[in-house]
Amino acid sequence: MLAVGGRNETQLFDGKTGKRVKQLKGQEGVAWHTTFSADGKTLVTGSNGGTIRWWDTATGEKQREEAYPFQGILGLRHRRNGDLLADAIKPQVLHRYQWNNKADVINVPLPQVLSRLPVLSPDGRMLASIEPDHAIHLYETSTQQLRLRFVSDQKEELISVAFSADGRRLATGSNDTTVLVWDTMGTKDAEIQKLQQDLDSCWLKLGGQSAGEAYRAIRALAAVPDRAAPFLDESLRGVNEKARSIAKLIADLDHARFAIREKATKELIDLGPAVRSALENALEGKMSLDARRRIQDILAKLPKQSLPQLVRDLRALEALERMATPAARTVLKRLAGGPAEDRLTREAQAALDRLGE
């Protein structure tokens, strides 16, 4: 079935014959975005009037409608479990909104150089945008840095962009009626092929300042999963244990005994910038005023770190998800067994969910 949004109506066509089978009426404005549920029984449309509508594809009847709390919808997508995701923009921030829970699942500050047609990848790790010179830019959302730039030879204006479900492909559509499909994980680059032989260099680049170099390392690692999965397993081996240790020290900041609070404070300061993200996350939870003051004091004393260690670990996790081999899934499961409040734990579980585990 094919859904085509129009002004004040949406039409459904038989995907095999091309014949129109339903005309959905009852909306206002243009239905810019459409998405089918996994079973095809429901169609959701997003209009420029600020409304999401649900339709029964068998009868063509409108089931319900709700207003959305954004300036405009950039895209709609159903997860396999039925959740509806809406990508939308509020000033300078791209939001991925989970409609079932009425909550943001991703917030991405938009790069200052962002031009138009911003599209978030299904896993939320990349943001694609189109530049006036037909250049496609891929940004790393965790750092807002440019990962990859390539130029389309489509003759007229690029008017649409879409990622494949696994993020490995990007399609661009042009007013010249052509669609080009790009390989975002390509390994023809000579440097990537060289990196495949030097996994230690890959690890260093994962923690480097350049998002472009780190993305080369991710692609190189994903291309040699038999060697890379055990290598990353060993490299990340201490992550869960360290996260548990940090979580206990943070909990000890609220201990009844003064001596234990003091000891935990000193040890967290000694651990350095590696504890910054865990402390910042802890401030968002409930704690005593004394523990909150201690965390704020520790953060003030920590040396600044231009690139958090967490970014390197998340890049390594991305490479594992791209491999999707049994060995890579085993590493992801181990990482998903870390402290529930740790971001790496949550990201590993999300990767497993996307892989159908």
Side-chain angles (χ1 to χ4, degrees):
M1 194 177 293
L2 172 69
V4 179
R7 187 172 298 280
N8 298 325
E9 67 175 17
T10 297
Q11 301 184 68
L12 299 181
F13 294 84
D14 186 304
K16 294 181 179 179
T17 67
K19 293 182 179 180
R20 188 177 69 179
V21 293
K22 286 286 184 303
Q23 184 171 348
L24 314 180
K25 294 184 178 181
Q27 69 182 39
E28 298 176 3
V30 179
W32 289 106
H33 302 284
T34 63
T35 180
F36 286 100
S37 60
D39 60 10
K41 294 181 179 180
T42 302
L43 177 76
V44 181
T45 62
S47 74
N48 57 357
T51 304
I52 302 288
R53 295 178 174 88
W54 285 257
W55 309 85
D56 186 319
T57 57
T59 65
E61 297 295 321
K62 182 170 62 178
Q63 297 172 328
R64 75 180 198 272
E65 64 179 52
E66 296 181 19
Y68 54 75
F70 307 108
Q71 294 172 326
I73 292 287
L74 296 175
L76 297 170
R77 183 171 63 87
H78 269 106
R79 283 176 169 168
R80 286 176 296 181
N81 64 4
D83 286 348
L84 176 67
L85 299 177
D87 290 347
I89 288 182
K90 287 182 181 179
Q92 295 304 113
V93 179
L94 194 153
H95 299 257
R96 175 159 290 171
Y97 188 75
Q98 188 173 8
W99 212 273
N100 299 38
N101 295 335
K102 299 293 189 293
D104 285 346
V105 290
I106 298 175
N107 292 310
V108 180
L110 295 176
Q112 293 297 318
V113 294
L114 188 67
S115 178
R116 62 187 183 86
L117 292 177
V119 176
L120 197 60
S121 63
D123 61 13
R125 293 187 180 113
M126 287 194 291
L127 182 73
S129 74
I130 304 298
E131 300 302 310
D133 60 355
H134 279 207
I136 297 96
H137 286 191
L138 295 183
Y139 293 93
E140 181 178 60
T141 55
S142 61
T143 63
Q144 289 86 58
Q145 294 181 10
L146 185 65
R147 274 189 164 185
L148 193 63
R149 179 185 184 275
F150 47 93
V151 180
S152 170
D153 58 1
Q154 288 161 293
K155 296 177 182 178
E156 297 185 21
E157 183 182 14
L158 299 179
I159 58 172
S160 58
V161 184
F163 279 98
S164 62
D166 61 5
R168 289 177 170 270
R169 300 286 187 272
L170 182 77
T172 57
S174 166
N175 268 336
D176 66 9
T177 74
T178 65
V179 174
L180 296 183
V181 181
W182 307 84
D183 182 1
T184 66
M185 290 293 291
T187 56
K188 293 181 179 179
D189 187 314
E191 185 174 345
I192 293 177
Q193 294 176 354
K194 183 179 179 181
L195 281 172
Q196 292 173 10
Q197 310 305 317
D198 188 356
L199 300 188
D200 287 326
S201 291
C202 287
W203 181 251
L204 290 175
K205 290 182 183 296
L206 289 180
Q209 294 291 331
S210 169
E213 290 294 315
Y215 192 48
R216 284 195 181 94
I218 289 170
R219 290 145 70 193
L221 289 163
V224 289
D226 290 346
R227 292 190 294 116
F231 171 80
L232 289 177
D233 187 22
E234 182 65 28
S235 300
L236 292 167
R237 178 58 61 176
V239 169
N240 281 358
E241 290 74 9
K242 187 173 183 180
R244 288 192 180 93
S245 174
I246 292 172
K248 183 180 185 305
L249 288 173
I250 292 175
D252 283 347
L253 295 177
D254 238 346
H255 199 279
R257 292 178 57 190
F258 176 79
I260 292 179
R261 297 200 300 271
E262 286 287 289
K263 181 175 182 291
T265 300
K266 182 180 184 305
E267 290 187 19
L268 285 166
I269 293 174
D270 291 342
L271 285 171
V275 302
R276 180 175 293 277
S277 61
L279 290 170
E280 290 171 343
N281 289 338
L283 282 176
E284 298 176 5
K286 294 181 179 180
M287 64 183 67
S288 68
L289 289 176
D290 181 65
R292 185 173 297 275
R293 178 188 60 77
R294 285 176 180 275
I295 289 178
Q296 291 168 342
D297 289 346
I298 294 168
L299 287 171
K301 294 175 181 177
L302 291 178
K304 299 294 183 182
Q305 184 179 22
S306 54
L307 187 68
Q309 178 180 311
L310 177 63
V311 172
R312 180 205 63 198
D313 296 340
L314 292 176
R315 288 167 173 172
L317 190 151
E318 180 178 356
L320 289 164
E321 183 178 351
R322 295 293 184 224
M323 296 173 204
T325 61
R329 291 168 189 252
T330 297
V331 182
L332 289 172
K333 289 176 181 177
R334 179 177 65 75
L335 294 172
E341 69 279 4
D342 189 68
R343 183 178 173 187
L344 190 65
T345 301
R346 300 196 302 269
E347 293 287 347
Q349 185 56 61
L352 289 170
D353 291 343
R354 287 189 292 269
L355 292 172
E357 292 288 343

